[in-house]
């Protein structure tokens, strides 16, 4: 995972055939990256061929470093991004630091290609697929017994199935990454959450 890259880093060291990217999509973590890559493939797109790389930043607080590297004061390639609503301030600050506008409102962030998940990636995909259908995916993964135990925990008994599923995915190592790919494969193409579709459209050739 890349963290805090410098603007002088050479893209050819980590890209196929030494080519510079045409565009990058900045996301908070690897689960976001996997979901976008799966959805792009299902839409019939080849991001590598298009010169697009989805970069997991290791957290929203690193966005300024990535914009330093890839934005107008760095490699100056097209940049887009996907972020959780709770982390919006870091993206506002990062775009300001990159010279892309100070104090941007959400609509202005979208105009720059940065789109917000209502809560997070899991929230968006569970709502798009339906909680009952996601529960079936959990069962298909052989985790329904573990999920039933989690549902009986005092802190979760009164929560919705949607919230319980989010807790399942976030409460164990690798859970978010695993289910990001599973849900991205399962969601109907006509129900892909808008911010995920929009950020991929923002870097379409």
């Amino acid at each position: 995972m890349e963290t805090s890259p410098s603007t002088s880093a050479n893209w050819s060291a980590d890209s196929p055939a030494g080519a510079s990217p045409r565009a990058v999509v900045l996301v908070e973590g690897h689960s976001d990256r996997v979901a976008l890559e799966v959805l792009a493939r299902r839409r019939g797109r080849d991001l590598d061929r298009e010169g697009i790389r989805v970069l997991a930043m290791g957290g929203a607080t690193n966005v300024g470093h990535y914009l330093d590297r890839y934005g107008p004061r760095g490699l100056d390639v097209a940049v887009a991004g996907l972020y959780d609503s709770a982390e919006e301030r870091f993206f506002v600050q990062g775009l300001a630091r990159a010279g892309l506008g100070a104090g941007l409102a959400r609509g202005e962030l979208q105009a720059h290609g940065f789109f917000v998940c209502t809560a997070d990636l899991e929230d968006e995909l569970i709502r798009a697929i339906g909680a009952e259908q996601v529960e079936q995916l959990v069962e298909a993964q052989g985790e329904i017994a573990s999920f039933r135990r989690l549902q009986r925990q005092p802190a979760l008994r009164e929560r919705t199935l949607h919230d319980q599923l989010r807790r399942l995915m976030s409460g164990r190592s690798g859970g978010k990454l695993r289910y990001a790919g599973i849900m991205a494969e399962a969601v109907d193409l006509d129900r892909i959450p808008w911010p995920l579709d929009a950020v991929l459209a923002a870097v379409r050739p």
Side-chain angles (χ1 to χ4, degrees):
M1 178 174 63
E2 298 180 36
T3 56
S4 303
S6 69
T7 58
S8 61
N10 186 350
W11 174 266
S12 64
D14 55 10
S15 63
S20 294
R22 183 186 63 80
V24 297
V25 179
L26 304 178
V27 297
E28 294 183 38
H30 288 289
S31 58
D32 308 281
R33 174 184 57 78
V34 166
L36 289 180
E37 290 174 346
V38 168
L39 293 173
R41 172 179 53 76
R42 292 186 63 208
R43 287 290 196 204
R45 296 180 62 180
D46 184 334
L47 296 183
D48 285 340
R49 187 178 296 276
E50 293 176 19
I52 298 166
R53 191 171 182 195
V54 183
L55 298 175
M57 301 183 295
T61 58
N62 292 323
V63 66
H65 298 298
Y66 278 78
L67 287 170
D68 283 347
R69 178 176 180 180
Y70 298 106
R73 295 171 179 168
L75 294 177
D76 196 20
V77 301
V79 181
L82 184 74
Y83 62 93
D84 298 347
S85 58
E87 313 301 339
E88 187 167 81
R89 67 190 185 280
F90 297 115
F91 282 74
V92 172
Q93 293 165 5
L95 267 68
R97 166 174 162 171
L100 295 171
L104 298 177
R106 185 166 294 179
E108 294 171 311
L109 289 171
Q110 292 175 3
H112 282 287
F114 288 80
F115 299 89
V116 61
C117 292
T118 299
D120 54 25
L121 178 80
E122 293 74 31
D123 172 67
E124 292 283 356
L125 286 171
I126 293 169
R127 283 191 289 109
I129 297 169
E132 292 79 11
Q133 287 71 30
V134 174
E135 187 177 33
Q136 292 174 14
L137 296 177
V138 171
E139 184 171 11
Q141 292 300 307
E143 295 193 328
I144 197 66
S146 175
F147 182 52
R148 294 289 181 252
R149 289 193 294 272
L150 181 146
Q151 288 178 300
R152 292 194 292 270
Q153 293 180 3
L156 291 174
R157 285 175 188 164
E158 305 303 320
R159 304 297 296 271
T160 65
L161 177 59
H162 177 107
D163 289 341
Q164 292 168 344
L165 288 164
R166 286 182 65 204
R167 177 64 179 271
L168 173 73
M169 295 169 191
S170 63
R172 61 183 61 186
S173 177
K176 283 192 170 189
L177 182 61
R178 180 181 184 186
Y179 279 100
I182 291 168
M183 290 193 293
E185 292 282 7
V187 66
D188 290 343
L189 287 179
D190 60 357
R191 292 185 59 82
I192 292 175
W194 179 78
L196 280 67
D197 244 357
V199 75
L200 290 171
V203 291
R204 184 177 294 279

